[in-house]
Amino acid sequence: MKKDICRISGAPLTRVVDFGKQPLGNGFLQPAQFADEYFFPMVVGFSEESMMFQLIEQPAPEKMFHDHYAFYSSTSSFMARHFKDFADQVVQSGYLAKQDPYVVELGCNDGIMLKNFAEQKIRHLGIEPSLNVAKEANKHGVRTRSEFFTESLAETIVSEDGQADAFLAANVMCHIPDIVGVVKGIRKLLKPTGVVMFEDPYLGDVVAKTSYDQIYDEHVFLFSALSIQYLFGQQGMELIDVLPQKTHGGSMRYVLAHRGAYPVKESVTRLLAKERAQGLDRLATFDTFRANVEDSREKLVALLKKLKAEGMRVAGYGATSKSTTILNYCGIGPDLIDYISDTTPIKQGKRTPGMHIPVVPYETFKGNPPDYAVLFAWNHAEEIMAKEKEFMAAGGKWIVHVPEVKVL
Ligand code: TYD
């Protein structure tokens, strides 16, 4: 049997959780496409050398990020505000050159963050391989290149635009299997005083909350400060700051620079120590995680079966990529959940990947609310709870599975 190898260190990977056959997290489809639906074996592995939690196999990037990619960042007002704040923090960070700073964002999607730079006439570039969302960014005055970021693209950008002051990414770095190539590109692209600021769902939260739905085809990695320090350390860079974020149910923003360029903030030392205490450097932690994932599955399925037996109408709220892992891993289909409501037009009228639950417009939920709604978009709980007071006042109940399965 072929050995599983860590993408960062080349050391052997140990398989820690097997989620079985999974479709693409964002692969919403029509019934006519069921016969050709793509599945892959979703298993996660861990290497104590790099401390990187990663998928063993991942579909080719072209299968996931293409000209009909169903994910648009600007679907949530909270996220729009979050990225405006992120942009403001970059501008005010003191890391940008005073004269003509240049900011590059990897995976700028529909321009939700870069439009804030465009509005301030700050020189910028968004690198976005999915052409449909890149075109949306252009409408907001955002300059884009629709390509995958590599070391050679970094060289091209430097020769055309010069080096960058800041390299930004949000919910993108964890998608890239050749992350080592990307970090090599970043090193070339950044000025000696340049900084990298990126954020992704945080492994520490996933382990603490058993939020295993963060694991799906696109998330080839779930990062910790320990694994990021290892990855960038190999290329002569280092963490200088870390900033926990509420987004995606718990994210971490990492700030990195060329080694020695800036003092390392105490936040970094503190988080590295906290992660060691949590066991994010050890295989044994993931045995416990696996047991927690199995327990979560048993409880969710038992609850949905019980409600169905009682004649309750159960729907889903938010056709997230994350929910694809839950539905397929737990074997939850239209027999247990009638439909999932979602505000994204491109998902509506389609079926969920693998389990084929109908995705309906939000108006369907609003017009005829179910007895129970599974909060698949739990990462937006605050925004949704504020919006759905009527549903709750009329006796509607929420089912959440994070940090444990329960009815709210
Ligand atoms: P997202 O949080 O991006 O999760 P993922 O990365 O797992 O796909 O997706 C949220 C989804 O929920 C998106 O399809 C829009 C939908 N949604 C609603 O339908 N109503 C809402 O009020 C909110 C906030 C989101």
Side-chain angles (χ1 to χ4, degrees), residues 25-26 28 69-73 75-79 171 175 201 213-214 216 218-219 248-249 316-324 340-344 347-348 359-362 375-381 383-385 387-388:
N26 252 311
F28 296 90
Y69 184 52
F71 184 84
Y72 287 79
S73 293
T75 49
S76 148
S77 55
F78 178 85
M79 292 308 281
N171 308 309
H175 290 68
D213 52 350
Q214 284 296 1
Y216 56 93
E218 295 177 19
H219 290 174
H248 290 285
Y317 196 104
T320 56
S321 324
K322 294 186 288 295
S323 52
T324 298
I340 302 183
S341 130
D342 198 285
T343 49
T344 319
K347 295 181 186 175
Q348 296 163 357
V359 181
V360 305
Y362 172 60
L375 190 55
F376 288 123
W378 61 272
N379 46 314
H380 301 285
E383 179 174 352
I384 293 170
M385 296 292 167
K387 197 162 79 178
E388 298 301 346

Side-chain angles (χ1 to χ4, degrees), residues 7-82:
R7 291 173 178 81
I8 315 303
S9 62
L13 271 181
T14 303
R15 297 180 164 228
V16 290
V17 193
D18 185 343
F19 291 93
K21 204 175 66 144
Q22 291 280 340
L24 302 179
N26 252 311
F28 296 90
L29 73 177
Q30 302 286 1
Q33 300 168 297
F34 289 171
D36 298 326
E37 192 169 9
Y38 176 85
F39 289 88
F40 76 108
M42 195 168 88
V43 184
V44 280
F46 184 77
S47 144
E48 281 188 347
E49 166 69 24
S50 64
M51 297 164 283
M52 189 65 87
F53 184 89
Q54 56 198 283
L55 288 183
I56 303 271
E57 267 185 51
Q58 197 196 24
E62 294 75 15
K63 278 206 182 297
M64 299 179 283
F65 312 112
H66 37 54
D67 59 3
H68 48 278
Y69 184 52
F71 184 84
Y72 287 79
S73 293
S74 300
T75 49
S76 148
S77 55
F78 178 85
M79 292 308 281
R81 201 164 56 242
H82 172 77

